[in-house]
Amino acid sequence: PVSIVCVTPDNQKYLEITLTGVIVSSYDFIYDHEGLRTIGLPWVDFAEHLTLNFTEIEKKFTSHDATGKGGGSISASHDLVKG
């Protein structure tokens, strides 16, 4: 499995995405400073682009209150093989 974790500026996890049955279906290395500026990335000279295919996805969202304290979680998943 591959996990992608998103955190707030103060390092609180709010979203975790787990992919199962993952393959890299394409990879690009982009070295095109002007082209990257046109898509809103003026501060980089190069970028990498991955496309992932997967058979199952699970997402878990954790809410936080105004003080940053973690609250409840909501999870959802889908198996693309089983439907």
Side-chain angles (χ1 to χ4, degrees), residues 6-50:
C6 300
V7 297
T8 63
D10 60 341
N11 210 30
Q12 299 284 332
K13 180 168 61 172
Y14 67 90
L15 178 64
E16 182 173 7
I17 301 170
T18 303
L19 306 173
T20 305
V22 180
I23 63 167
V24 177
S25 56
S26 73
Y27 171 82
D28 289 314
F29 181 84
I30 305 164
Y31 186 81
D32 177 8
H33 187 71
E34 291 304 316
L36 292 169
R37 285 182 181 188
T38 63
I39 61 170
L41 299 172
W43 59 89
V44 296
D45 290 326
F46 64 90
E48 295 176 283
H49 181 264
L50 290 172

